[in-house]
Amino acid sequence: MNDPAPSVDTPAPLISIRDLRTTYAVGGRAFHAVDGVSFDVARGETVGLVGESGCGKSTLGKTLMRLLRPSAGNILLDGRDIAGLDQSALLPLRRRFQMVFQDPFASLNPRKTIGALLETPLKVHGVRSAAERRARVLEIVERVGLPASALQRYPHEFSGGQRQRIGIARALVLRPELIICDEPVSALDLSIQAQILNLLVDLKRDLGLSYLFISHDLSVVRYFADRVIVMYRGRVVESADHATLWRDPRHPYTRLLLAAVPVADPGRPREPMPPCPEAGEPSGQGCSFRARCPMAQPRCDQEAPARRTVGPGHTVACHFA
Amino acid sequence: MTTSVLDAAPRGSRLLRAFARNPSFLFGCAILLAVVVVALLAPWLFPGDPQDMVAPPTLWPGEDMAYPLGTDSLGRDVAAGLAYGARVSLAVGVIAAALGLLIGAVVGAIGGYFGGKVDLVLARLTELFQTIPTFILVIVIVAIGQPTATVIVTAIGIASWPTVARLVRAQFRSLREADFVMAARSLGYSHWRIIVHEILPNALPPVVVTTSVMVANAILTEAGLSFLSMGDPNLVSWGSMIGDGGPLLRTAWFLTALPGAAIALTVLSLNLVGDGLNDVLNPRSMQQ
Amino acid sequence: MSPNPVLLQVRDLVVGFGKTEVVHGIGFDVAAGETMALVGESGCGKSLTAFALMRLLPHGARIFGGQVLFQGRDLVAAREKILRDIRGNEISLILQEPMTSLNPVLPIGLQIAEVLLRHKSMSRRQADRRVLELLSLVGIPEPQRRAREFPHNFSGGMRQRVMIAMAVACGPRLVIADEPTTALDVTIQAQVLDLLDRLRKDLSMAVLLITHDLGVVAQWADRVTVMYAGRVAEEGPVGPFFRQPRHPYARGLLGASVGDSGSAHYTTQRLVEIPGSVASAAAERGCPFAPRCPETIAACRVQPPRLEPVGEMHRVACPVEVAK
């Protein structure tokens, strides 16, 4: 559930984000890339995080991985706040959540063999026996659909799709519970996307994983996620389960987004996009979407909308939705 | 579970291909190899001390086949001098360059990786050393210390690290934002591990290329010092041979020309090797 | 062909680098006023083909053979001077990344004016007036002010509109758009493609739209040509293509494409995979798709199949499909 106060009978979420803020200093001013985001990821759930460029979804993913320091808020991993932990306290917890990166060509160290790449995390996390490391690496390589001979090779010998499999293997080798996928298929060809998505589905089922799936590609998120969270300029504007979001989008931005996605069906008529001015200055006090919103009222300038529940598991941050 | 087709890149020797594409690389390597061989075999080719006076002075090359390259004003064998001089030049060149590389890599890596105040301090330090003219710095250090080979090598190393530091720092600054480094951080790798095992192997290739030029510069610097009689007096060096041959330039010009040619050839070969190494280590050819 | 007169005819075009062929003799037509989509995954040669049409090949690439007939003239054989007069004037190009295709140190108004002054005889003042008209046409507000600004003052979508203004400035018959919206957000993409489509109708241009996104093809193209490993796999009108794609590769692509109008979800449906990868096509003597194809027959491995008609203006390069 994404209400700030979870109900008593739902099991505790695996990871819970409360009012997270990540701020950059840009030219003397503070820029809130992530501006007060709250949501949960339950065990065994795939949460899709969508938004366009500048919405902060990638920054959010990196903040969760503690690659960036949050400037405010909590990240509760099984109830324990990891937002403020220093790196040495964080280390033992890191094996519980890992990340898959977007660019298969930049996410693997070109000078390391695949075997070394996959064994090092085990070494760092205390698996002393070389034989055990070997066994676990072989197991994971097989699980992602690569042959054992891959271990002696270097990344440049593999195609984009294969490298992404290696990236997934690296994320899995520590047996995490949560995988944050940052645009994992965006850089891949369509036919390879299907392979990787199917792999991720299989892995989730076989290993009981939870995913936070960050993507700008709504079609992919619609297929892959259980629940979807829509972000705009650092804030959550709507969240719902996948069927509800497409059936009943409430937030004007969500509607705009869904209308814009080209569907591979020429029979579907296109409504022309409303001409909207491009986003300008940061939001400040009011709603971050007001400059582009067809329903904007004076109230939207002064008061940022709070998230309201409009249905089971469905919240919207809009005064009028 | 589908097993994708593994498209293995051809595993040919990049070195051989670099040789084929780049004949000057081959040439450079050949010359360098010859110099190294002569240097290594000097004690066997020319037993005894090259500073011994063994023959009548200022014999011309070819006059007496026992001394094929002639003798200098003190009757010392020029060929022996060249061979032993090769040992000195190469030893000084390589060790000084290695020292510069070590210091520069450490400074550049730490500054480039950590950024912030650490980087600020180290960058200023680098700039400080860079603004002092290399040769003058070396002379000053040697003048303060003793003109022994150790001091000379250390002085050259100290004077040459800034270039490496800047290069390494730039590499680290860009590589620390790479996805694979973020992956390493998200796996909880320590700073040490990331610097040494993740970033450094990727940062070094352009630095290795610079190293051969550093060796060349070190050789030139040492030759300059010896020419000015500030080198180690116990060693025969190409530079000292040029210095000694100076007064006889009009009559026995081979005494300056031969060691001069040796220096030029060695420096040239190092530059060619450096260019060729660039090709070997960065195989970014347009392949379709 | 479609009822409109044929504007561009590509016949047996072979393009490659050095000694290696990358595009192996492709052919398709573009009729006046229609949008033809050229679809394929990375490495299929679609971008190279697009550049070859105007002989704007990258260093090391050349046209080995074939013809590109534009309004009857063969552009492959024409002199460079003729090509220069055509580029930007009768055929123009819109590229994927506007930040690198616009000159960062010149104001955009000047860049658009340059195109006009090069190809049309008009005074500088006339050109400036026309620039303002064009900026309004592509939906850039306050054209007077913005014409003096630099590319970095514009967002990605706005820059692409500037590119479109430059492309249509001289009233071309054909606009080649190479992945024009791939680098843009999806809401901006829709606006830009709508703009291009509107201009196409208003100015009677044809558009050759190169893309890897089947949704874009379905929504904005009239006809589609699917390329695989440097060859045409299927070519036809968009409606019949999406209703029933004939080539096994095209079927695989549509199956893998998640963006269909149904509510497919991973809990109920598995995505169709095309096993293997494009690299396997390199060594293949017969049909390049054979190593990954579920329906090969003996003839498939012997020689690459020819494009044969299977319906109204609909052709497929697959002996198995043609036989059905």
Side-chain angles (χ1 to χ4, degrees):
Chain A
M1 289 281 135
N2 2 328
D3 304 304
S7 56
V8 187
D9 41 339
T10 48
L14 176 58
I15 199 158
S16 186
I17 299 162
R18 294 276 166 263
D19 276 318
L20 197 62
R21 225 169 229 99
T22 308
T23 309
Y24 291 116
V26 174
R29 264 202 324 212
F31 170 63
H32 302 293
V34 177
D35 197 7
V37 170
S38 307
F39 64 87
D40 298 340
V41 179
R43 282 199 165 69
E45 185 181 34
T46 299
V47 173
L49 191 58
V50 292
E52 298 177 297
S53 56
C55 72
K57 57 192 194 297
S58 269
T59 307
L60 181 64
K62 292 194 185 126
T63 308
L64 285 183
M65 288 303 302
R66 287 296 313 276
L67 293 169
L68 293 172
R69 289 213 91 187
S71 44
N74 308 102
I75 305 170
L76 303 167
L77 179 66
D78 250 349
R80 183 172 169 189
D81 190 0
I82 62 171
L85 290 183
D86 63 41
Q87 296 296 335
S88 56
L90 201 51
L91 180 62
L93 297 170
R94 279 200 179 283
R95 47 153 296 277
R96 298 184 63 184
F97 56 104
Q98 279 300 313
M99 193 162 194
V100 175
F101 296 84
Q102 173 176 359
D103 186 350
F105 294 88
S107 59
L108 306 178
N109 186 338
R111 308 238 161 225
K112 282 180 114 170
T113 59
I114 308 306
L117 206 131
L118 294 175
E119 271 192 58
T120 310
L122 293 170
K123 235 188 275 186
V124 169
H125 284 262
V127 179
R128 298 206 188 288
S129 149
E132 191 194 334
R133 290 200 297 264
R134 211 84 227 288
R136 280 174 69 160
V137 166
L138 276 168
E139 185 220 327
I140 210 74
V141 157
E142 197 192 342
R143 240 185 224 290
V144 300
L146 291 169
S149 60
L151 295 176
Q152 279 87 8
R153 301 180 122 124
Y154 288 86
H156 70 261
E157 302 181 60
F158 296 92
S159 68
Q162 290 164 332
R163 284 194 226 205
Q164 207 59 318
R165 289 176 192 265
I166 295 168
I168 294 171
R170 174 179 56 196
L172 287 176
V173 78
L174 292 176
R175 299 189 183 144
E177 295 154 60
L178 170 72
I179 307 237
I180 299 174
C181 305
D182 188 0
E183 309 264 15
V185 295
S186 304
L188 303 175
D189 281 329
L190 200 52
S191 54
I192 310 293
Q193 279 191 22
Q195 291 179 15
I196 301 299
L197 287 173
N198 282 341
L199 172 65
L200 288 173
V201 169
D202 292 339
L203 289 169
K204 178 181 172 182
R205 183 193 60 227
D206 296 340
L207 301 175
L209 296 168
S210 312
Y211 289 130
L212 178 64
F213 191 85
I214 301 171
S215 178
H216 68 279
D217 190 337
L218 277 135
S219 315
V220 171
V221 172
R222 182 181 188 179
Y223 174 78
F224 193 74
D226 299 315
R227 242 178 354 109
V228 181
I229 293 174
V230 182
M231 278 182 75
Y232 183 76
R233 298 184 103 205
R235 299 182 185 167
V236 174
V237 297
E238 187 160 2
S239 75
D241 68 74
H242 68 100
T244 311
L245 195 78
W246 264 266
R247 193 186 57 234
D248 184 25
R250 298 292 198 96
H251 196 282
Y253 177 63
T254 312
R255 293 210 181 120
L256 184 69
L257 207 53
L258 294 183
V261 177
V263 185
D265 175 6
R268 271 274 203 86
R270 271 202 72 74
E271 317 118 38
M273 292 292 298
C276 35
E278 305 214 356
E281 287 302 301
S283 338
Q285 288 282 66
C287 174
S288 47
F289 189 61
R290 63 185 185 276
R292 292 171 76 179
C293 184
M295 304 196 312
Q297 309 267 334
R299 185 179 175 198
C300 305
D301 279 333
Q302 286 133 18
E303 195 190 323
R307 275 168 75 180
R308 296 180 299 121
T309 307
V310 295
H314 189 172
T315 65
V316 184
C318 177
H319 296 304
F320 308 108
Chain B
M1 189 75 71
T2 46
T3 45
S4 322
V5 171
L6 265 184
D7 15 295
R11 279 256 194 95
S13 165
R14 288 214 296 261
L15 196 66
L16 282 174
R17 271 187 277 142
F19 276 145
R21 258 202 305 260
N22 201 344
S24 51
F25 181 42
L26 189 58
F27 182 64
C29 282
I31 304 233
L32 194 57
L33 195 61
V35 173
V36 170
V37 164
V38 166
L40 288 174
L41 295 181
W44 287 275
L45 292 172
F46 304 99
D49 190 338
Q51 304 217 22
D52 285 343
M53 301 184 262
V54 293
T58 21
L59 281 176
W60 269 77
E63 254 191 71
D64 182 347
M65 286 323 289
Y67 306 102
L69 292 177
T71 61
D72 71 357
S73 58
L74 294 177
R76 296 178 293 194
D77 184 0
V78 170
L82 285 183
Y84 279 88
R87 289 168 78 88
V88 171
S89 289
L90 285 179
V92 170
V94 168
I95 299 174
L99 187 62
L101 186 60
L102 187 62
I103 302 174
V106 169
V107 171
I110 293 179
Y113 180 76
F114 288 103
K117 296 210 187 79
V118 172
D119 185 29
L120 207 63
V121 168
L122 289 176
R124 295 292 92 82
L125 188 68
T126 312
E127 279 161 29
L128 179 67
F129 271 84
Q130 253 188 321
T131 49
I132 307 174
T134 316
F135 197 56
I136 304 218
L137 179 61
V138 172
I139 290 180
V140 167
I141 296 177
V142 171
I144 294 175
Q146 302 280 57
T148 62
T150 319
V151 172
I152 293 172
V153 164
T154 314
I156 299 177
I158 290 176
S160 58
W161 69 259
T163 318
V164 176
R166 288 188 75 143
L167 203 51
V168 171
R169 175 179 176 271
Q171 289 284 89
F172 267 76
R173 276 172 68 101
S174 83
L175 284 169
R176 76 174 175 201
E177 307 299 332
D179 276 0
F180 71 88
V181 173
M182 284 209 279
R185 287 173 58 202
S186 62
L187 287 161
Y189 293 6
S190 64
H191 289 310
W192 169 258
R193 182 178 281 281
I194 294 178
I195 292 176
V196 173
H197 293 277
E198 298 290 326
I199 303 185
L200 201 60
N202 287 291
L204 280 184
V207 180
V208 169
V209 171
T210 319
T211 306
S212 68
V213 175
M214 279 176 71
V215 174
N217 283 337
I219 292 178
L220 284 171
T221 309
E222 184 281 324
L225 278 177
S226 305
F227 175 77
L228 294 175
S229 305
M230 294 187 72
D232 191 331
N234 301 319
L235 295 175
V236 173
S237 145
W238 289 339
S240 62
M241 289 171 74
I242 296 179
D244 292 341
L248 296 168
L249 199 53
R250 293 254 199 85
T251 49
W253 52 265
F254 68 92
L255 290 175
T256 11
L258 288 174
I263 295 178
L265 216 57
T266 310
V267 166
L268 174 68
S269 70
L270 282 165
N271 277 292
L272 292 176
V273 166
D275 285 346
L277 273 180
N278 201 15
D279 214 17
V280 169
L281 291 169
N282 297 326
R284 223 147 288 189
S285 45
M286 262 267 275
Q287 279 166 10
Q288 296 299 319
Chain C
M1 299 289 103
S2 44
N4 295 345
V6 169
L7 189 66
L8 183 80
Q9 290 172 300
V10 180
R11 296 280 174 270
D12 299 314
L13 187 63
V14 182
V15 188
F17 289 88
K19 294 207 184 76
T20 324
E21 284 179 14
V22 173
V23 175
H24 305 284
I26 62 163
F28 58 89
D29 290 356
V30 180
E34 77 172 358
T35 299
M36 161 69 96
L38 195 54
V39 173
E41 295 175 298
S42 56
C44 71
K46 57 192 191 298
S47 281
L48 196 59
T49 302
F51 287 117
L53 296 180
M54 296 211 292
R55 288 209 350 230
L56 275 178
L57 290 167
H59 187 69
R62 53 191 196 91
I63 301 177
F64 288 78
Q67 292 180 309
V68 174
L69 297 165
F70 178 65
Q71 295 183 310
R73 280 170 299 177
D74 183 4
L75 299 183
V76 172
R79 284 201 327 270
E80 180 66 19
K81 179 177 180 329
I82 310 271
L83 253 338
R84 280 206 294 271
D85 287 338
I86 291 182
R87 291 180 196 137
N89 190 11
E90 296 180 66
I91 305 181
S92 53
L93 187 59
I94 299 173
L95 296 170
Q96 175 174 341
E97 183 43 71
M99 199 56 208
T100 46
S101 32
L102 288 172
N103 189 329
V105 301
L106 293 177
I108 56 122
L110 183 61
Q111 299 189 47
I112 302 175
E114 273 185 326
V115 180
L116 288 166
L117 293 170
R118 165 67 179 82
H119 290 293
K120 306 282 184 205
S121 55
M122 54 169 73
S123 70
R124 184 59 205 275
R125 194 166 306 158
Q126 285 172 317
D128 285 344
R129 257 207 306 275
R130 182 90 183 107
V131 166
L132 296 179
E133 282 169 18
L134 285 165
L135 289 178
S136 300
L137 191 65
V138 298
I140 293 181
E142 298 179 85
Q144 205 108 10
R145 178 173 71 89
R146 306 227 72 183
R148 286 198 291 268
E149 290 183 349
F150 294 86
H152 65 261
N153 296 118
F154 293 78
S155 67
M158 285 291 175
R159 286 199 286 262
Q160 208 55 311
R161 289 169 191 264
V162 170
M163 284 298 301
I164 292 176
M166 276 174 76
V168 304
C170 298
R173 306 305 323 283
L174 173 67
V175 173
I176 302 176
D178 186 5
E179 307 260 18
T181 54
T182 302
L184 303 175
D185 283 332
V186 71
T187 50
I188 311 297
Q189 164 176 281
Q191 290 176 22
V192 169
L193 287 172
D194 276 343
L195 170 67
L196 194 57
D197 200 43
R198 187 166 53 79
L199 289 174
R200 172 183 69 94
K201 294 190 187 113
D202 292 347
L203 305 175
S204 310
M205 308 180 306
V207 174
L208 179 62
L209 182 63
I210 296 151
T211 180
H212 64 277
D213 185 338
L214 288 169
V216 166
V217 176
Q219 300 292 309
W220 281 283
D222 300 310
R223 294 173 54 77
V224 58
T225 300
V226 179
M227 282 183 70
Y228 183 80
R231 292 180 204 275
V232 175
E234 186 165 349
E235 177 198 345
V238 152
F241 174 76
F242 280 89
R243 269 197 302 278
Q244 201 199 357
R246 300 301 297 270
H247 197 283
Y249 172 62
R251 273 206 292 274
L253 269 190
L254 274 168
S257 159
V258 222
D260 65 338
S261 46
S263 50
H265 196 243
Y266 77 90
T267 46
T268 51
Q269 192 177 315
R270 202 172 165 75
L271 292 171
V272 172
E273 274 182 44
I274 308 177
S277 71
V278 185
S280 53
E284 191 53 49
R285 258 183 331 142
C287 173
F289 191 62
R292 306 168 76 187
C293 184
E295 312 178 11
T296 55
I297 55 177
C300 294
R301 312 302 285 241
V302 170
Q303 66 171 38
R306 284 206 336 253
L307 276 171
E308 306 278 1
V310 287
E312 173 95 24
M313 297 190 286
H314 191 166
R315 302 189 295 165
V316 174
C318 180
V320 175
E321 276 300 312
V322 171
K324 287 185 188 167

